[in-house]
Amino acid sequence: MLDLATVRVDPACVVKLPAAFALRRLVLPLCMVDGEFVVAMASPEDAQTLALVQREVGCPVKACQVESAS
């Protein structure tokens, strides 16, 4: 489980994903690591959302688990 309070978000990555999409799908772009676009998600097993993110950013995507704010 990723603690978002300790993560530094790369602004260059945030702008690669449309805000409306990120809010609707509950995806937070974080950074690029070793050629992968790293995102935080409450449901990282959501293959459909991951595929859409990958298509949007044009590179492999790695999802990190975060607790959903209820």
Side-chain angles (χ1 to χ4, degrees):
M1 185 80 59
L2 183 67
D3 181 4
L4 289 178
T6 64
V7 174
R8 193 176 298 207
V9 176
D10 182 353
C13 288
V14 172
V15 297
K16 290 184 178 185
L17 204 58
F21 173 86
L23 289 170
R24 185 172 51 254
R25 295 290 184 153
L26 300 177
V27 176
L28 175 62
L30 297 175
C31 60
M32 290 291 293
V33 175
D34 296 329
E36 290 185 309
F37 190 77
V38 181
V39 297
M41 298 175 62
S43 301
E45 67 281 349
D46 182 351
Q48 182 183 19
T49 296
L50 290 174
L52 291 170
V53 171
Q54 183 169 336
R55 185 172 52 191
E56 189 70 38
V57 300
C59 63
V61 176
K62 179 180 178 178
C64 297
Q65 174 86 37
V66 292
E67 189 172 334
S68 178
S70 305

